[in-house]
Coordinates of all heavy atoms in Angstrom, one line a residue:
M1 N 157.9 248.0 125.5 CA 157.9 246.8 126.2 C 158.6 247.0 127.6 O 159.4 247.7 127.7 CB 158.8 245.6 125.5 CG 158.5 244.4 125.9 SD 159.4 243.1 125.0 CE 160.4 243.8 123.8
D2 N 158.1 246.3 128.7 CA 158.7 246.2 129.9 C 160.2 245.8 129.8 O 160.6 244.9 129.1 CB 157.9 245.2 130.8 CG 158.3 245.1 132.3 OD1 159.6 245.2 132.5 OD2 157.5 245.0 133.1
K3 N 161.0 246.7 130.4 CA 162.4 246.5 130.4 C 162.9 245.0 130.9 O 163.7 244.4 130.1 CB 163.1 247.5 131.4 CG 164.6 247.4 131.3 CD 165.2 248.0 130.1 CE 166.7 247.8 129.9 NZ 167.2 247.8 128.5
R4 N 162.1 244.5 131.8 CA 162.5 243.1 132.3 C 162.2 242.1 131.2 O 163.0 241.1 131.0 CB 161.7 242.7 133.6 CG 162.3 243.4 134.8 CD 161.5 243.3 136.0 NE 160.2 244.0 135.6 CZ 159.1 244.2 136.5 NH1 159.2 243.9 137.8 NH2 158.0 244.8 136.3
V5 N 161.2 242.3 130.5 CA 160.8 241.3 129.4 C 161.8 241.4 128.3 O 162.2 240.4 127.8 CB 159.4 241.6 128.9 CG1 159.0 240.8 127.7 CG2 158.3 241.4 130.0
E6 N 162.3 242.7 128.0 CA 163.4 242.8 127.0 C 164.6 242.1 127.4 O 165.1 241.4 126.6 CB 163.6 244.3 126.9 CG 164.1 244.8 125.6 CD 164.4 246.3 125.6 OE1 163.4 247.0 125.9 OE2 165.5 246.8 125.4
V7 N 165.0 242.2 128.6 CA 166.2 241.5 129.2 C 166.0 240.0 129.1 O 166.9 239.4 128.8 CB 166.7 242.0 130.5 CG1 167.7 241.2 131.2 CG2 166.9 243.6 130.5
L8 N 164.7 239.5 129.5 CA 164.6 238.1 129.5 C 164.7 237.6 128.1 O 165.3 236.6 127.9 CB 163.2 237.8 130.0 CG 162.5 236.5 129.9 CD1 163.3 235.5 130.9 CD2 161.0 236.5 130.1
N9 N 164.2 238.3 127.1 CA 164.2 237.9 125.7 C 165.7 237.9 125.2 O 166.1 237.1 124.4 CB 163.4 238.7 124.8 CG 162.0 238.4 125.0 OD1 161.6 237.3 125.5 ND2 161.0 239.4 124.7
E10 N 166.4 239.0 125.6 CA 167.9 239.0 125.2 C 168.6 237.8 125.8 O 169.4 237.1 125.2 CB 168.5 240.3 125.8 CG 168.2 241.5 124.9 CD 168.5 242.8 125.6 OE1 169.3 242.8 126.5 OE2 168.1 243.9 125.0
C11 N 168.4 237.4 127.1 CA 169.0 236.5 127.7 C 168.7 235.0 127.0 O 169.5 234.0 126.8 CB 168.7 236.2 129.3 SG 169.4 237.5 130.2
R12 N 167.5 235.0 126.6 CA 167.0 233.7 125.8 C 167.7 233.6 124.6 O 168.0 232.5 124.2 CB 165.5 233.7 125.7 CG 164.7 233.3 127.1 CD 163.1 233.4 127.0 NE 162.5 232.9 128.2 CZ 161.2 233.0 128.4 NH1 160.5 233.7 127.5 NH2 160.9 232.5 129.5
A13 N 167.8 234.7 123.9 CA 168.6 234.7 122.7 C 169.9 234.2 122.8 O 170.5 233.4 122.0 CB 168.5 236.0 122.0
L14 N 170.5 234.7 123.9 CA 172.0 234.3 124.2 C 172.0 232.7 124.5 O 173.0 232.1 124.1 CB 172.5 235.1 125.3 CG 172.8 236.6 124.9 CD1 173.2 237.4 126.2 CD2 173.9 236.7 123.9
I15 N 171.1 232.3 125.3 CA 171.0 230.9 125.7 C 170.8 230.0 124.3 O 171.5 229.0 124.2 CB 169.8 230.6 126.7 CG1 170.2 230.9 128.0 CG2 169.3 229.1 126.5 CD1 169.3 230.5 129.1
D16 N 170.0 230.5 123.4 CA 169.9 229.8 122.1 C 171.2 229.8 121.4 O 171.6 228.7 120.9 CB 168.8 230.5 121.2 CG 167.4 230.2 121.7 OD1 167.3 229.3 122.6 OD2 166.5 231.0 121.2
E17 N 172.0 230.9 121.4 CA 173.3 230.8 120.8 C 174.3 229.8 121.5 O 175.0 229.2 120.7 CB 174.0 232.2 120.9 CG 173.7 233.0 119.7 CD 174.3 234.5 120.0 OE1 175.5 234.6 120.3 OE2 173.6 235.5 119.7
V18 N 174.2 230.0 122.8 CA 175.2 228.9 123.6 C 174.9 227.6 123.4 O 175.7 226.7 123.2 CB 175.2 229.3 125.1 CG1 175.8 228.4 125.8 CG2 175.7 230.6 125.3
D19 N 173.5 227.3 123.2 CA 173.0 225.9 122.9 C 173.6 225.4 121.7 O 173.9 224.2 121.5 CB 171.5 225.8 123.1 CG 171.1 225.8 124.6 OD1 171.9 225.6 125.5 OD2 169.8 226.0 124.8
Q20 N 173.5 226.3 120.7 CA 174.0 226.0 119.2 C 175.5 225.7 119.3 O 175.8 224.6 118.8 CB 173.8 227.1 118.5 CG 173.6 226.8 116.9 CD 173.4 228.2 116.1 OE1 172.9 229.2 116.7 NE2 173.8 228.2 114.9
Q21 N 176.2 226.4 120.0 CA 177.7 226.1 120.3 C 177.9 224.7 120.9 O 178.7 224.0 120.7 CB 178.4 227.2 120.9 CG 178.5 228.5 120.3 CD 178.8 229.6 121.1 OE1 179.4 229.5 122.2 NE2 178.6 230.9 120.6
L22 N 177.1 224.5 122.0 CA 177.2 223.2 122.8 C 176.9 222.0 121.8 O 177.7 221.1 121.9 CB 176.0 223.2 123.9 CG 176.4 223.9 125.2 CD1 175.2 223.7 126.2 CD2 177.7 223.1 125.9
I23 N 175.9 222.2 121.1 CA 175.6 221.0 120.2 C 176.6 220.8 119.1 O 177.0 219.7 118.7 CB 174.1 221.2 119.5 CG1 173.1 221.1 120.6 CG2 173.9 220.2 118.4 CD1 172.9 219.8 121.3
S24 N 177.1 222.0 118.6 CA 178.2 221.9 117.6 C 179.5 221.2 118.3 O 180.2 220.4 117.5 CB 178.3 223.4 117.1 OG 179.5 223.4 116.3
C25 N 179.8 221.6 119.4 CA 181.0 221.0 120.1 C 180.8 219.5 120.3 O 181.7 218.7 120.1 CB 181.3 221.8 121.4 SG 182.0 223.5 121.2
L26 N 179.6 219.3 120.8 CA 179.4 217.7 121.0 C 179.4 216.9 119.7 O 180.0 215.9 119.7 CB 177.9 217.5 121.5 CG 177.9 217.8 123.2 CD1 176.3 217.7 123.5 CD2 178.5 216.8 123.8
A27 N 178.9 217.5 118.7 CA 179.0 216.9 117.3 C 180.4 216.6 116.9 O 180.8 215.5 116.5 CB 178.2 217.6 116.2
K28 N 181.3 217.6 117.2 CA 182.8 217.5 116.8 C 183.4 216.3 117.7 O 184.1 215.6 117.3 CB 183.5 218.8 117.2 CG 183.5 219.8 116.0 CD 184.2 221.0 116.3 CE 183.8 222.2 115.8 NZ 184.2 223.5 116.4
R29 N 183.0 216.3 118.9 CA 183.6 215.3 119.9 C 183.0 214.0 119.4 O 183.9 213.1 119.3 CB 183.0 215.6 121.3 CG 183.8 214.8 122.4 CD 183.1 215.0 123.7 NE 184.1 214.6 124.9 CZ 184.3 213.4 125.3 NH1 183.7 212.3 124.5 NH2 185.2 213.2 126.2
F30 N 181.9 213.8 119.0 CA 181.3 212.5 118.6 C 182.0 212.1 117.2 O 182.2 210.9 117.0 CB 179.9 212.5 118.6 CG 179.1 212.6 119.9 CD1 178.0 213.4 120.1 CD2 179.6 211.9 121.0 CE1 177.5 213.5 121.3 CE2 179.3 212.1 122.3 CZ 178.1 212.8 122.5
Q31 N 182.4 213.0 116.4 CA 183.1 212.8 115.2 C 184.4 212.2 115.6 O 184.9 211.2 115.0 CB 183.4 214.0 114.2 CG 182.2 214.5 113.4 CD 181.9 213.3 112.5 OE1 180.7 212.8 112.6 NE2 182.6 213.0 111.6
L32 N 185.1 212.6 116.6 CA 186.4 212.2 117.0 C 186.2 210.8 117.6 O 187.1 209.8 117.3 CB 187.0 213.0 118.0 CG 187.5 214.4 117.4 CD1 187.7 215.4 118.6 CD2 188.5 214.3 116.6
S33 N 185.1 210.5 118.4 CA 184.8 209.2 118.9 C 184.7 208.1 117.7 O 185.2 207.0 117.8 CB 183.5 209.2 119.6 OG 183.4 210.0 120.7
K34 N 183.9 208.5 116.6 CA 183.9 207.8 115.5 C 185.2 207.3 114.9 O 185.4 206.2 114.6 CB 183.1 208.5 114.4 CG 182.4 207.7 113.4 CD 181.4 208.5 112.6 CE 181.1 207.9 111.3 NZ 180.4 208.7 110.4
A35 N 186.1 208.3 114.7 CA 187.4 208.0 114.2 C 188.3 207.1 115.2 O 188.9 206.2 114.7 CB 188.2 209.4 114.0
I36 N 188.1 207.3 116.4 CA 188.8 206.5 117.4 C 188.1 205.0 117.3 O 189.0 204.1 117.4 CB 188.6 207.0 118.9 CG1 189.5 208.3 119.0 CG2 189.0 206.0 119.9 CD1 189.4 209.0 120.3
G37 N 186.9 205.0 117.2 CA 186.2 203.7 117.1 C 186.8 202.9 115.9 O 187.0 201.6 116.1
S38 N 187.0 203.5 114.8 CA 187.4 202.8 113.7 C 188.9 202.4 113.9 O 189.3 201.2 113.6 CB 187.2 203.7 112.5 OG 188.2 203.7 111.7
I39 N 189.8 203.2 114.5 CA 191.1 202.8 114.9 C 191.2 201.6 115.8 O 191.9 200.6 115.6 CB 191.9 204.0 115.5 CG1 192.0 205.1 114.5 CG2 193.2 203.5 116.0 CD1 192.5 206.4 115.0
K40 N 190.2 201.6 116.7 CA 190.3 200.6 117.8 C 189.8 199.3 117.1 O 190.3 198.2 117.4 CB 189.3 200.9 119.0 CG 189.8 201.9 120.0 CD 188.8 202.4 121.1 CE 189.4 203.3 122.1 NZ 188.4 203.6 123.1
R41 N 188.8 199.4 116.3 CA 188.3 198.2 115.5 C 189.5 197.5 114.7 O 189.8 196.3 114.8 CB 187.2 198.5 114.6 CG 186.3 197.3 114.4 CD 184.9 197.7 113.8 NE 184.8 199.1 113.3 CZ 184.2 200.1 113.9 NH1 183.6 199.9 114.9 NH2 184.0 201.2 113.2
D42 N 190.3 198.4 114.1 CA 191.4 197.8 113.3 C 192.5 197.3 114.2 O 193.1 196.2 113.9 CB 192.1 199.0 112.6 CG 191.5 199.3 111.3 OD1 190.4 198.6 110.9 OD2 191.7 200.3 110.7
A43 N 192.7 197.9 115.3 CA 193.8 197.5 116.2 C 193.4 196.5 117.3 O 194.1 196.2 118.2 CB 194.4 198.8 116.9
D44 N 192.0 196.2 117.3 CA 191.4 195.1 118.1 C 191.7 195.6 119.7 O 192.1 194.9 120.5 CB 192.1 193.8 117.9 CG 191.2 192.6 118.5 OD1 190.0 192.9 118.7 OD2 191.6 191.5 118.7
V45 N 191.2 196.9 119.9 CA 191.3 197.5 121.2 C 189.9 197.7 121.8 O 189.0 198.0 121.0 CB 192.1 198.9 121.0 CG1 192.0 199.7 122.4 CG2 193.5 198.7 120.7
R46 N 189.8 197.5 123.0 CA 188.4 197.7 123.6 C 188.0 199.1 123.6 O 188.7 200.1 123.8 CB 188.5 197.3 125.1 CG 188.5 195.9 125.5 CD 188.6 195.7 127.0 NE 188.6 194.1 127.2 CZ 187.7 193.4 127.3 NH1 186.5 193.8 127.2 NH2 187.9 192.0 127.5
V47 N 186.6 199.3 123.3 CA 186.1 200.7 123.2 C 186.2 201.3 124.7 O 186.7 202.5 124.7 CB 184.5 200.5 122.8 CG1 184.0 201.9 123.1 CG2 184.5 200.2 121.4
H48 N 185.7 200.7 125.7 CA 185.7 201.2 127.0 C 187.1 201.2 127.6 O 187.6 200.1 127.9 CB 184.7 200.7 127.9 CG 184.6 201.3 129.3 ND1 184.0 200.7 130.3 CD2 184.9 202.5 129.7 CE1 184.1 201.4 131.5 NE2 184.6 202.7 131.0
Q49 N 187.7 202.3 127.8 CA 189.1 202.4 128.3 C 188.9 203.0 129.8 O 188.9 204.2 130.0 CB 190.2 203.2 127.6 CG 190.3 202.5 126.2 CD 191.1 201.4 126.4 OE1 192.1 201.3 127.1 NE2 190.8 200.2 125.4
P50 N 188.8 202.2 130.9 CA 188.4 202.8 132.3 C 189.5 203.9 132.8 O 189.0 204.9 133.4 CB 188.5 201.5 133.2 CG 188.2 200.3 132.3 CD 188.8 200.7 131.0
D51 N 190.8 203.5 132.6 CA 191.8 204.6 133.0 C 191.6 205.9 132.3 O 191.6 206.9 133.1 CB 193.2 204.1 132.9 CG 193.4 202.9 133.8 OD1 192.6 202.6 134.7 OD2 194.5 202.2 133.6
R52 N 191.5 205.9 131.0 CA 191.3 207.1 130.3 C 189.9 207.7 130.7 O 190.0 209.1 130.9 CB 191.4 206.9 128.8 CG 191.0 207.9 127.8 CD 191.9 209.0 127.8 NE 191.4 210.1 126.9 CZ 191.9 211.4 127.1 NH1 192.6 211.8 127.9 NH2 191.4 212.3 126.2
A53 N 188.9 207.0 130.8 CA 187.6 207.6 131.2 C 187.7 208.2 132.5 O 187.1 209.4 132.6 CB 186.6 206.4 131.2
K54 N 188.4 207.6 133.4 CA 188.4 208.3 134.7 C 189.3 209.7 134.7 O 188.9 210.6 135.3 CB 189.2 207.3 135.7 CG 189.1 207.6 137.2 CD 187.8 207.2 137.7 CE 187.3 208.0 138.8 NZ 185.9 208.2 139.1
Q55 N 190.4 209.5 133.8 CA 191.2 210.8 133.6 C 190.2 211.9 133.0 O 190.3 213.0 133.5 CB 192.3 210.4 132.6 CG 193.5 211.4 132.5 CD 194.4 210.8 131.4 OE1 194.0 210.1 130.5 NE2 195.6 211.1 131.6
V56 N 189.4 211.5 132.0 CA 188.6 212.5 131.4 C 187.5 213.0 132.4 O 187.3 214.3 132.5 CB 188.1 212.1 130.1 CG1 187.1 213.1 129.5 CG2 189.1 211.6 129.1
E57 N 187.0 212.2 133.3 CA 186.0 212.5 134.2 C 186.6 213.6 135.1 O 186.0 214.6 135.4 CB 185.5 211.4 135.0 CG 184.5 211.6 136.0 CD 184.0 210.4 136.7 OE1 183.8 209.3 136.2 OE2 184.1 210.4 138.1
E58 N 187.8 213.3 135.6 CA 188.5 214.2 136.5 C 188.7 215.6 135.9 O 188.5 216.6 136.4 CB 189.8 213.6 137.1 CG 189.7 212.8 138.2 CD 188.9 213.4 139.3 OE1 189.2 214.6 139.8 OE2 187.7 212.9 139.6
H59 N 189.1 215.6 134.6 CA 189.1 216.8 133.8 C 187.9 217.6 133.8 O 187.9 218.8 134.0 CB 189.6 216.5 132.3 CG 190.2 217.6 131.6 ND1 189.9 217.7 130.1 CD2 190.8 218.7 131.8 CE1 190.5 218.8 129.7 NE2 191.0 219.4 130.8
Y60 N 186.8 216.9 133.6 CA 185.5 217.6 133.5 C 185.3 218.2 134.9 O 184.6 219.3 135.0 CB 184.4 216.6 133.2 CG 184.0 216.4 131.8 CD1 184.9 215.9 131.0 CD2 182.7 216.6 131.5 CE1 184.6 215.8 129.6 CE2 182.3 216.4 130.0 CZ 183.3 216.1 129.1 OH 183.0 215.9 127.9
V61 N 185.6 217.4 136.1 CA 185.3 218.1 137.3 C 186.2 219.1 137.6 O 185.7 220.2 138.1 CB 185.6 216.8 138.4 CG1 185.6 217.5 139.9 CG2 184.5 215.9 138.4
N62 N 187.4 219.1 137.3 CA 188.4 220.2 137.5 C 188.0 221.5 136.6 O 187.9 222.6 137.2 CB 189.8 219.8 137.2 CG 190.2 218.8 138.3 OD1 189.8 218.7 139.3 ND2 191.2 218.0 137.7
L63 N 187.6 221.2 135.4 CA 187.3 222.4 134.6 C 185.8 222.9 135.1 O 185.7 224.1 135.2 CB 186.9 221.9 133.2 CG 188.3 221.7 132.2 CD1 187.8 221.0 130.9 CD2 188.9 223.0 132.0
G64 N 184.9 222.0 135.5 CA 183.7 222.4 135.9 C 183.8 223.3 137.3 O 183.2 224.4 137.2
T65 N 184.5 222.8 138.2 CA 184.6 223.5 139.4 C 185.3 224.8 139.4 O 184.9 225.8 140.0 CB 185.2 222.5 140.7 OG1 186.4 222.1 140.1 CG2 184.3 221.5 141.1
S66 N 186.3 224.8 138.4 CA 187.0 226.1 138.1 C 186.0 227.1 137.5 O 186.2 228.4 137.5 CB 188.1 226.0 137.4 OG 187.8 225.9 136.0
H67 N 184.9 226.7 136.9 CA 183.8 227.5 136.4 C 182.6 227.6 137.3 O 181.4 228.0 136.8 CB 183.5 227.1 135.0 CG 184.5 227.5 134.0 ND1 185.6 226.7 133.6 CD2 184.7 228.5 133.1 CE1 186.3 227.3 132.9 NE2 185.8 228.4 132.4
G68 N 182.7 227.2 138.5 CA 181.5 227.3 139.4 C 180.5 226.2 139.1 O 179.2 226.4 139.6
I69 N 180.8 225.1 138.5 CA 179.9 224.0 138.1 C 180.0 222.9 139.2 O 181.2 222.5 139.4 CB 180.0 223.6 136.7 CG1 179.6 224.6 135.6 CG2 179.3 222.2 136.4 CD1 180.0 224.3 134.3
Q70 N 178.9 222.5 139.6 CA 178.9 221.5 140.8 C 179.6 220.1 140.3 O 179.3 219.6 139.2 CB 177.5 221.1 141.1 CG 176.6 222.2 141.8 CD 176.6 222.0 143.2 OE1 176.4 220.9 143.8 NE2 176.9 223.1 143.9
R71 N 180.3 219.5 141.1 CA 181.1 218.3 140.8 C 180.0 217.2 140.3 O 180.3 216.6 139.3 CB 181.8 217.8 142.1 CG 182.4 216.5 141.9 CD 183.0 215.8 143.2 NE 183.7 214.6 142.7 CZ 184.9 214.6 142.4 NH1 185.8 215.6 142.6 NH2 185.5 213.4 142.0
N72 N 179.0 217.0 141.0 CA 177.9 216.0 140.5 C 177.3 216.2 139.1 O 177.2 215.3 138.3 CB 176.7 215.9 141.5 CG 177.0 215.3 142.8 OD1 178.1 214.7 143.0 ND2 176.2 215.3 143.7
F73 N 177.3 217.5 138.8 CA 176.7 217.7 137.5 C 177.7 217.5 136.4 O 177.6 216.9 135.4 CB 176.4 219.2 137.4 CG 175.9 219.6 136.0 CD1 174.6 219.2 135.5 CD2 177.0 220.2 135.1 CE1 174.2 219.4 134.1 CE2 176.4 220.4 133.7 CZ 175.2 220.1 133.3
A74 N 179.1 217.9 136.8 CA 180.2 217.5 135.8 C 180.3 216.0 135.6 O 180.5 215.6 134.5 CB 181.5 218.1 136.3
V75 N 180.2 215.2 136.6 CA 180.3 213.7 136.7 C 179.2 213.2 135.8 O 179.3 212.4 134.8 CB 180.4 213.1 138.0 CG1 180.2 211.6 138.0 CG2 181.7 213.5 138.8
D76 N 177.9 213.6 136.0 CA 176.7 213.1 135.3 C 176.8 213.4 133.8 O 176.5 212.7 133.1 CB 175.5 213.7 135.9 CG 175.1 213.2 137.3 OD1 175.6 212.2 137.7 OD2 174.1 213.8 138.0
L77 N 177.3 214.6 133.5 CA 177.5 215.0 132.2 C 178.5 214.2 131.5 O 178.2 213.7 130.4 CB 177.8 216.6 132.1 CG 178.1 217.1 130.6 CD1 176.8 217.1 129.9 CD2 178.6 218.5 130.8
F78 N 179.5 214.0 132.2 CA 180.6 213.1 131.5 C 180.0 211.7 131.2 O 180.3 211.1 130.2 CB 181.9 213.1 132.2 CG 182.8 212.2 131.6 CD1 183.4 212.4 130.4 CD2 183.1 210.9 132.3 CE1 184.2 211.5 129.6 CE2 184.0 210.0 131.6 CZ 184.5 210.3 130.2
H79 N 179.3 211.2 132.2 CA 178.8 209.9 132.0 C 177.9 209.7 130.8 O 178.0 208.8 130.1 CB 178.1 209.3 133.3 CG 179.1 209.0 134.4 ND1 178.6 208.7 135.7 CD2 180.4 208.9 134.4 CE1 179.9 208.5 136.4 NE2 180.9 208.6 135.7
L80 N 177.1 210.7 130.7 CA 176.2 210.8 129.6 C 176.9 210.8 128.2 O 176.7 210.0 127.2 CB 175.2 211.9 129.7 CG 174.0 212.0 128.9 CD1 173.0 210.9 129.2 CD2 173.2 213.4 129.1
I81 N 178.0 211.7 128.2 CA 178.7 211.8 126.9 C 179.5 210.6 126.7 O 179.6 210.1 125.6 CB 179.5 213.1 127.0 CG1 178.7 214.4 127.0 CG2 180.7 213.1 126.0 CD1 179.4 215.7 127.1
H82 N 180.1 210.0 127.8 CA 180.9 208.8 127.6 C 180.1 207.6 127.1 O 180.6 207.0 126.2 CB 181.5 208.5 128.9 CG 182.4 207.4 128.9 ND1 182.2 206.1 129.5 CD2 183.7 207.3 128.4 CE1 183.2 205.2 129.2 NE2 184.1 205.9 128.5
E83 N 178.9 207.6 127.5 CA 178.1 206.4 127.2 C 177.8 206.7 125.6 O 177.9 205.6 124.9 CB 176.7 206.5 127.9 CG 175.9 205.2 127.9 CD 174.6 205.4 128.7 OE1 174.4 206.4 129.3 OE2 173.9 204.6 128.6
E84 N 177.4 207.8 125.2 CA 177.2 208.0 123.7 C 178.5 207.8 122.9 O 178.4 207.3 121.8 CB 176.5 209.4 123.6 CG 176.3 209.8 122.1 CD 175.2 209.0 121.4 OE1 174.7 208.0 122.0 OE2 174.9 209.2 120.3
S85 N 179.6 208.3 123.4 CA 180.9 208.1 122.8 C 181.2 206.6 122.6 O 181.6 206.3 121.5 CB 181.9 208.9 123.6 OG 183.2 208.5 123.2
C86 N 181.0 205.8 123.6 CA 181.2 204.4 123.4 C 180.2 203.8 122.3 O 180.6 202.9 121.6 CB 181.2 203.7 124.7 SG 182.5 204.1 125.8
R87 N 178.9 204.3 122.6 CA 178.0 203.7 121.5 C 178.4 204.0 120.2 O 178.3 203.1 119.2 CB 176.6 204.2 121.8 CG 175.4 203.6 121.0 CD 174.1 204.5 121.1 NE 174.3 205.7 120.3 CZ 174.3 205.8 119.1 NH1 174.2 204.8 118.2 NH2 174.5 207.1 118.4
I88 N 178.8 205.2 119.8 CA 179.3 205.6 118.4 C 180.3 204.9 117.9 O 180.4 204.3 116.9 CB 179.6 207.1 118.5 CG1 178.2 207.9 118.5 CG2 180.3 207.5 117.3 CD1 178.3 209.3 118.8
Q89 N 181.3 204.6 118.9 CA 182.5 203.8 118.6 C 182.2 202.4 118.2 O 182.9 201.6 117.5 CB 183.5 203.7 119.7 CG 184.1 205.0 120.0 CD 185.2 205.0 121.1 OE1 186.1 204.3 121.2 NE2 184.9 205.9 122.1
R90 N 181.0 201.9 118.7 CA 180.7 200.4 118.4 C 179.8 200.4 117.0 O 179.6 199.2 116.6 CB 179.9 199.9 119.6 CG 180.7 199.7 120.8 CD 180.0 198.9 121.9 NE 180.8 198.7 123.0 CZ 180.8 199.5 124.1 NH1 179.7 200.3 124.3 NH2 181.6 199.3 125.0
V91 N 179.5 201.5 116.5 CA 178.7 201.4 115.3 C 179.7 201.1 114.1 O 180.6 202.0 113.9 CB 178.0 202.8 115.0 CG1 177.4 202.8 113.7 CG2 176.9 203.0 116.2
E92 N 179.5 200.1 113.4 CA 180.3 199.7 112.3 C 179.8 200.5 110.9 O 178.6 200.5 110.8 CB 180.4 198.3 112.1 CG 181.4 197.6 113.2 CD 181.6 196.2 112.9 OE1 181.9 195.9 111.8 OE2 181.4 195.4 113.7
E93 N 180.7 201.0 110.1 CA 180.1 201.5 108.8 C 180.9 200.8 107.6 O 181.9 200.2 107.7 CB 180.5 203.0 108.8 CG 179.5 203.6 109.7 CD 179.3 205.0 109.5 OE1 180.2 205.7 108.9 OE2 178.3 205.6 110.0
Ligands
LIG101 C1 187.4 208.1 123.2 C2 187.8 206.9 123.8 O1 187.0 205.8 124.1 C3 186.2 205.8 125.5 C4 185.5 207.1 125.5 C5 186.1 208.2 126.2 C6 185.6 209.5 125.9 O2 184.6 209.7 125.2 O3 186.1 210.4 126.5 C7 187.2 207.8 127.0 C8 187.6 206.7 127.1 C9 187.0 205.5 126.5 O4 186.4 204.8 127.5 C10 189.2 206.7 124.0 O5 189.7 205.6 124.4 O6 190.0 207.7 124.1

């Protein structure tokens, strides 16, 4: 096999592994959102906490830029995750 094709396939296998880790980390984060949602429901606290959300967004930006990830991407990623985190917190069981 062409060496480049071999390397391409190795890189793809590594991407598949990293994606598996990403999804597993996201699932863990959403489990925590669920737990927080139930605490907030009991304590009658609002799901969306703008100050905390801003703080976490900044954390994403700082972590992202320290790893060479664009600020806009880090912000968009956090917004997507935050939206799902809030949706999960609103689901009653
Ligand atoms: C998880 C929380 O609820 C919301 C979701 C957040 C998040 O997913 O990072 C942060 C702040 C809140 O808007 C929280 O209050 O900590």
Side-chain angles (χ1 to χ4, degrees):
M1 195 183 0
D2 185 312
K3 183 74 192 159
R4 283 166 302 187
V5 175
E6 206 179 302
V7 173
L8 174 72
N9 286 337
E10 280 166 12
C11 289
R12 285 181 173 165
L14 290 173
I15 279 185
D16 288 345
E17 267 178 42
V18 171
D19 284 345
Q20 202 179 336
Q21 289 166 16
L22 276 173
I23 294 293
S24 166
C25 286
L26 278 174
K28 276 187 208 158
R29 194 186 198 284
F30 292 142
Q31 277 301 115
L32 294 167
S33 300
K34 198 170 159 188
I36 287 177
S38 135
I39 293 166
K40 285 180 176 173
R41 210 166 10 263
D42 281 354
D44 204 17
V45 171
R46 279 178 189 277
V47 165
H48 184 202
Q49 296 287 322
D51 289 350
R52 169 67 183 159
K54 199 71 212 159
Q55 195 183 27
V56 182
E57 181 184 308
E58 273 311 298
H59 193 212
Y60 271 58
V61 168
N62 292 337
L63 283 173
T65 49
S66 76
H67 285 84
I69 290 171
Q70 294 263 315
R71 181 187 180 93
N72 284 353
F73 177 80
V75 169
D76 289 351
L77 178 64
F78 175 66
H79 286 171
L80 194 63
I81 291 173
H82 182 252
E83 200 180 352
E84 179 62 1
S85 169
C86 290
R87 187 195 68 75
I88 287 166
Q89 288 178 62
R90 292 191 179 100
V91 173
E92 287 188 48
E93 285 195 347

